[in-house]
Amino acid sequence: MSLPYFEINGGPRLKGRVRVSGAKNAALPIMAASILCEGEVILHEVPDVADVKSLSELLIKLGVEVERRGDGTLRLVARDEMNCRAEYDIVRKMRASICVLGPLLAKRRQAQVSMPGGCAIGDRPVDIHLRAMRQLGADLELVSGDIVARAKRLRGREIFMGGPFGSTVLGTANAMMAACLAEGTTVLEMAACEPEVVDLANFLNRCGASITGHGTPRIVIEGVKELHGCEYTIIPDRIEAGTFMVAAAITNGEVTIENCRLDHLMAFVDRLTAIGVNVEKEPAGGVTVSSARHLEPVDVTTQPFPGFPTDLQAQIMALLCLADGNSIITEKIFPDRFLHVAELNRMGAHLRKEGPTVIVEGVKRLIGAPVMASDLRASAALVLAGLAARGTTRVNRIYHLDRGYARFDEKLRALGADIQRKEGDEVL
Ligand code: EPU
């Protein structure tokens, strides 16, 4: 089967300016929230990525009119409330489809959403989402792999959102969206504090919801009768920004990143600075990242926001492969999210996995090789390694990368990278 892949000739130092797109993980739940709204929702800075296309297809099936304008603007209008089913075919492709559960239940009083399975980064249960829906008053059963949910009415409650790995981002989004139209007050304790949850709450408030405390572990939602549409701009993608920061650092380059919120990246920038990478905010608003040849080894532990994001773990691992000494990376959100380890080792890295931890023994250089992308962020890490490696790297299965990075290869080329998108049979 012919599939797209990247061919990268490592070496060029990246230089120039790059603009980060809107955040995929904020855009997806906000798009789903359009189900709750009467009237038109206009979203700006919606990234042009495959996951947004997949969710648009699902929303169209659910009776939402979705129109994309060329400039990153999406217009959504919920018209037809008949179909409330998100089928396996779409959920299998994109787990984030689960974020239609809360809006469907709240607005249409019923939902049938295929139960997401595991994925390359782990088991990824949705038990906390389901617990929250039940506590708000929904009846839930599992029928042939589908979550079938009904609710005559939803009632506000105090709901604990914690689980064995902390809170849940999309679970908090689902509970918050459902609670907007519930009767009375809902309090979400140990809610996720991620900027994408805050962005969703800000959007919902703009639509007439009454949410306070977002950005803290205690979110309070006063139910309202209905939500209207609004015009809203999605926050910049902190993970894309972080990925370009590593691209600058790993090539000893100097890159200015535009549309970048440093307050969303404090833990990441703290680690970059400890490695010896310079990160400077420009008076005009951009962030300039530059690096000398010497990289210090550091320890990294992923945590819920404001801790170090799991979605940048693979990328910083690629950078630490070239540090002068040993680093330790511990994954506290998805303990199995390490499929990139074996691929980086194919490029000459010295990585040893021990449970949820990887010991990174820095090497002098990486060497180009054919490698296989396993998930979105692992793909980005392999591209970053390829940019620094001696020789040619072929990154197969980049459809994973296209799910979450808009025109990644074009943006890298504009900074001077030698990266081409090609198509062909898989070679390993
Ligand atoms: N968890 C449970 N039960 C649940 C839900 C989650 O035990 O009901 C566990 C998970 O297994 C995990 C932890 O809680 O160990 C956190 O998972 P979370 O629910 O927060 O993840 P998510 O909401 O499914 C979002 C992002 C992910 C990102 C995580 C963590 C979207 C669309 N996805 O997923 O993004 O890694 O939060 O920050 O927002 C990516 O963009 O590459 C990506 C995977």
Side-chain angles (χ1 to χ4, degrees):
M1 191 172 40
S2 187
L3 288 171
Y5 64 90
F6 283 152
E7 193 174 276
I8 306 162
N9 292 308
R13 302 170 68 166
L14 299 197
K15 279 199 181 322
R17 304 180 80 85
V18 63
R19 188 172 190 283
V20 165
S21 303
K24 166 186 80 92
N25 290 347
L28 296 174
I30 290 177
M31 286 168 65
S34 68
I35 291 174
L36 293 164
C37 301
E38 305 292 334
E40 192 177 73
V41 170
I42 306 277
L43 301 178
H44 300 294
E45 297 279 0
V46 179
D48 188 8
V49 296
D51 273 7
V52 163
K53 288 196 187 86
S54 300
L55 186 62
S56 299
E57 281 165 28
L58 172 59
L59 290 173
I60 289 168
K61 286 191 178 152
L62 294 173
V64 180
E65 229 175 72
V66 183
E67 182 198 330
R68 184 163 195 121
R69 301 178 180 157
D71 57 348
T73 298
L74 215 58
R75 175 180 171 275
L76 304 110
V77 189
R79 292 249 185 243
D80 178 358
E81 302 204 337
M82 285 301 285
N83 185 17
C84 298
R85 180 164 187 205
E87 287 171 18
Y88 181 55
D89 236 26
I90 183 101
V91 179
R92 182 173 57 84
K93 271 208 294 194
M94 191 185 52
R95 301 186 85 270
S97 314
I98 188 75
C99 64
V100 300
L101 178 65
L104 286 175
L105 250 183
K107 186 70 175 36
R108 306 183 187 179
R109 302 292 186 233
Q110 53 172 321
Q112 183 165 351
V113 180
S114 178
M115 178 89 142
C119 73
I121 68 178
D123 292 345
R124 304 189 70 181
V126 290
D127 55 314
I128 306 171
H129 300 234
L130 304 187
R131 192 174 72 200
M133 296 303 126
R134 280 205 179 92
Q135 291 190 2
L136 286 170
D139 285 327
L140 262 63
E141 47 178 346
L142 193 63
V143 181
S144 306
D146 283 359
I147 303 157
V148 178
R150 277 190 195 82
K152 280 212 178 66
R153 56 158 70 139
L154 295 178
R155 283 220 175 95
R157 281 278 301 268
E158 271 200 2
I159 303 174
F160 180 68
M161 297 302 301
F165 298 99
S167 191
T168 155
V169 174
L170 287 178
T172 302
N174 254 329
M176 201 160 69
M177 290 188 280
C180 278
L181 295 182
E183 282 171 24
T185 308
T186 300
V187 180
L188 304 180
E189 291 285 3
M190 202 163 161
C193 301
E194 270 66 9
E196 294 76 16
V197 172
V198 174
D199 209 33
L200 171 64
N202 287 338
F203 165 80
L204 290 166
N205 280 343
R206 193 76 75 72
C207 296
S210 172
I211 303 173
T212 52
H214 39 299
T216 80
R218 187 170 201 268
I219 302 180
V220 180
I221 305 136
E222 301 289 346
V224 296
K225 284 252 172 319
E226 70 170 47
L227 296 181
H228 49 76
C230 77
E231 189 164 348
Y232 193 78
T233 302
I234 308 285
I235 52 167
D237 196 310
R238 62 192 166 111
I239 307 302
E240 189 193 354
T243 304
F244 279 112
M245 288 183 181
V246 175
I250 206 167
T251 62
N252 305 309
E254 183 168 331
V255 173
T256 300
I257 300 164
E258 291 166 0
N259 198 30
C260 172
R261 292 268 307 254
L262 276 184
D263 56 328
H264 293 167
L265 279 162
M266 283 185 71
F268 180 70
V269 169
D270 171 72
R271 295 294 74 195
L272 276 189
T273 308
I275 292 171
V277 177
N278 300 313
V279 180
E280 273 172 41
K281 197 162 172 51
E282 289 198 335
V287 175
T288 297
V289 179
S290 61
S291 156
R293 277 193 191 279
H294 181 80
L295 302 173
E296 284 290 330
V298 299
D299 292 347
V300 174
T301 302
T302 66
Q303 283 172 326
F305 190 85
F308 189 99
T310 172
D311 290 345
L312 284 170
Q313 176 256 109
Q315 298 90 319
I316 204 155
M317 187 182 293
L319 182 63
L320 289 172
C321 284
L322 293 168
D324 190 14
N326 291 352
S327 304
I328 296 175
I329 300 181
T330 304
E331 180 52 75
K332 290 252 171 111
I333 308 291
F334 295 114
D336 295 324
R337 193 177 199 176
F338 284 126
L339 285 177
H340 42 286
V341 166
E343 300 303 305
L344 288 170
N345 280 341
R346 284 177 55 76
M347 299 178 70
H350 283 184
L351 306 173
R352 191 157 46 90
K353 178 172 161 341
E354 303 234 348
T357 293
V358 170
I359 298 143
V360 184
E361 192 190 318
V363 293
K364 284 260 172 306
R365 68 180 55 91
L366 294 170
I367 301 152
V371 287
M372 196 165 72
S374 53
D375 72 83
L376 171 54
R377 309 303 172 186
S379 325
L382 297 176
V383 172
L384 293 169
L387 293 174
R390 177 176 288 179
T392 305
T393 297
R394 172 173 171 155
V395 183
N396 290 306
R397 305 201 180 172
I398 53 164
Y399 53 85
H400 289 294
L401 190 131
D402 290 333
R403 292 183 52 180
Y405 289 91
R407 293 181 288 278
F408 194 46
D409 45 332
E410 279 175 39
K411 289 185 183 184
L412 286 172
R413 258 198 313 279
L415 294 171
D418 181 350
I419 177 169
Q420 300 299 329
R421 178 180 290 261
K422 297 190 167 177
E423 209 157 287
D425 291 334
E426 213 162 75
V427 183
L428 271 189

